[in-house]
Amino acid sequence: MLCQRLLTRVLQTRAFSTAPTLSYEYIITETKGEKNNVGFIKLNRFKALNALCSPLMTEVSEALTGFETDPKIGAVVITGSDRAFAAGADIGEMQNMEFPEVYTKQFLTKWSFLKQARKPVIAAVNGFALGGGCEVAMMCDIIYAGEKAFFGQPEINLGVIPGAGGTQRLVRAIGKSKAMEMVLTGEKMSAQDAEKAGLVSKVFPVEEVVGEAIKLGERIAGMSKVAAAMAKECVNAADNLSLDEGERLEKRMFHSLFACKDQKIGMTAFLEKKQPEWTDS
C-alpha cells in the first residue's frame, strides 16, 4: 500500500488541473524515443522568437499535464528553434499593464508549474534564452545547449527586473558575483561560459543538441519512475533545506523505496547481472 501511494504521488500532482489538448497554436507536441517514452514540447512562435506570451505558457502547462499523467512517459524535453529557445516574455503583452493587474492576477506566478513537474524536464537550448526564456530553461532540471546559445537576464534594460525566478535561480546556478553582473548589466553569457559556470550541463553542435536531449530523456525514462521522481525531489530540495534537513529527507525517501517492487527488481538484477525490468511500482 505504501508503494502504491508513492506511485500515485509520482504520477499525479494537484498543481495540474487542466486537461491536455490535442492541438495547439503556439507549441508542437510529440512523443520521442524508440519506445515513445519521452514527451517533446517545441515552442513555435518563430516570427516572435518564441516570446513567452500567456497563451503559449498555458499551452505548455496543458501539454506538460498530459505527459505528467501518461504512465508511458518518463521524461520531457522542451526546446525552441535554432534561432531562439525563447527571447523573453512578450513585451507587447506587458507594455501597458498596470500594477493592480499584474498584482491581482499574479502575473508570471503560474509559470511555476514547470518546477512542480515530478517527471524530469530537460531544456534543449539553441539561440537566445533571454529573460523569461532563461528563467524557463532554469526551471527545467537539466539544460543542454547548442554551441551558439546565449543566456541572459536583460530586464534591467526595460526598467524592470526578472520576475519568474531569474534573480534566485541564477545565483544558485552560477554564484552571486556572476549573477549580479548579468542582472545589473543585462550582459549575455555564451553556452561555453554557461557550461563552465555550471548553468548548462553540456554543449553540443546546434544540429545535435535536441537529439542529445532526447537521448538523455530516453536514458532517464528507462529508469524506475518512482526512484527518478524521488531523486529529483531530493536534489531540488537542496536549494531550500539545510544539510541536516536535506539528509533527513533523502533518508526518508531512500527508506520508502524499500516498500516498492522496483527496489527488489533492481538489486536482484544487479546481483544476477541482468537488466532490470521496472514495474514502476
Side-chain angles (χ1 to χ4, degrees), residues 197-259:
L199 178 62
V200 165
S201 179
K202 292 180 181 177
V203 176
F204 299 95
V206 171
E207 65 277 9
E208 295 180 14
V209 63
V210 173
E212 292 295 334
I214 292 169
K215 287 180 184 177
L216 176 63
E218 286 186 277
R219 183 175 179 183
I220 293 171
M223 305 298 178
S224 164
K225 293 181 180 63
V226 181
M230 288 192 183
K232 170 176 173 170
E233 184 172 347
C234 287
V235 173
N236 282 337
D239 280 341
N240 301 310
L241 301 177
S242 69
L243 179 58
D244 286 345
E245 292 169 331
E247 287 188 334
R248 279 196 294 272
L249 174 64
E250 180 186 82
K251 290 292 189 299
R252 193 178 309 123
M253 293 292 192
F254 174 76
H255 295 157
S256 297
L257 285 165
F258 281 75

Side-chain angles (χ1 to χ4, degrees), residues 54-72:
S54 294
L56 180 148
M57 293 303 291
T58 296
E59 290 185 356
V60 174
S61 175
E62 292 175 356
L64 190 56
T65 298
F67 291 137
E68 277 278 287
T69 56
D70 186 341
K72 296 179 295 185

Side-chain angles (χ1 to χ4, degrees), residues 10-254:
V10 168
L11 297 180
Q12 296 179 344
T13 171
R14 292 189 300 271
F16 300 133
S17 58
T18 307
T21 59
L22 297 177
S23 61
Y24 301 97
E25 182 178 358
Y26 296 113
I27 65 174
I28 296 170
T29 62
E30 302 175 65
T31 56
K32 297 284 190 178
E34 292 183 5
K35 297 181 180 179
N36 286 317
N37 57 0
V38 178
F40 185 76
I41 300 173
K42 180 180 175 67
L43 308 183
N44 193 37
R45 290 190 76 196
F46 181 78
K47 291 183 179 179
L49 297 179
N50 292 327
L52 302 173
C53 61
S54 294
L56 180 148
M57 293 303 291
T58 296
E59 290 185 356
V60 174
S61 175
E62 292 175 356
L64 190 56
T65 298
F67 291 137
E68 277 278 287
T69 56
D70 186 341
K72 296 179 295 185
I73 299 298
V76 178
V77 171
I78 297 179
T79 192
S81 67
D82 287 352
R83 188 178 178 192
F85 175 75
D90 193 323
I91 297 172
E93 180 182 37
M94 295 188 292
Q95 180 185 7
N96 295 317
M97 288 181 172
E98 300 286 347
F99 171 75
E101 179 182 5
V102 296
Y103 180 74
T104 58
K105 293 184 178 180
Q106 300 186 61
F107 183 59
L108 301 183
T109 302
K110 294 181 180 179
W111 288 23
S112 62
F113 69 85
L114 271 165
K115 68 178 183 179
Q116 293 166 349
R118 291 198 175 276
K119 294 179 180 178
V121 181
I122 304 158
V125 177
N126 271 319
F128 296 110
L130 305 177
C134 185
E135 289 169 312
V136 165
M138 288 192 292
M139 287 181 200
C140 297
D141 301 302
I142 300 170
I143 303 176
Y144 274 9
E147 59 191 358
K148 296 181 181 179
F150 283 93
F151 299 83
Q153 300 290 165
E155 289 87 348
I156 195 76
N157 295 309
L158 303 174
V160 293
I161 65 172
T167 61
Q168 304 304 300
R169 292 191 178 88
L170 200 58
V171 171
R172 288 165 168 79
I174 66 176
K176 178 183 174 181
S177 182
K178 287 181 182 295
M180 190 73 79
E181 182 180 22
M182 290 178 68
V183 169
L184 291 180
T185 67
E187 182 178 335
K188 296 187 291 293
M189 176 178 283
S190 70
Q192 293 76 17
D193 287 342
E195 182 183 23
K196 292 176 184 176
L199 178 62
V200 165
S201 179
K202 292 180 181 177
V203 176
F204 299 95
V206 171
E207 65 277 9
E208 295 180 14
V209 63
V210 173
E212 292 295 334
I214 292 169
K215 287 180 184 177
L216 176 63
E218 286 186 277
R219 183 175 179 183
I220 293 171
M223 305 298 178
S224 164
K225 293 181 180 63
V226 181
M230 288 192 183
K232 170 176 173 170
E233 184 172 347
C234 287
V235 173
N236 282 337
D239 280 341
N240 301 310
L241 301 177
S242 69
L243 179 58
D244 286 345
E245 292 169 331
E247 287 188 334
R248 279 196 294 272
L249 174 64
E250 180 186 82
K251 290 292 189 299
R252 193 178 309 123
M253 293 292 192
F254 174 76

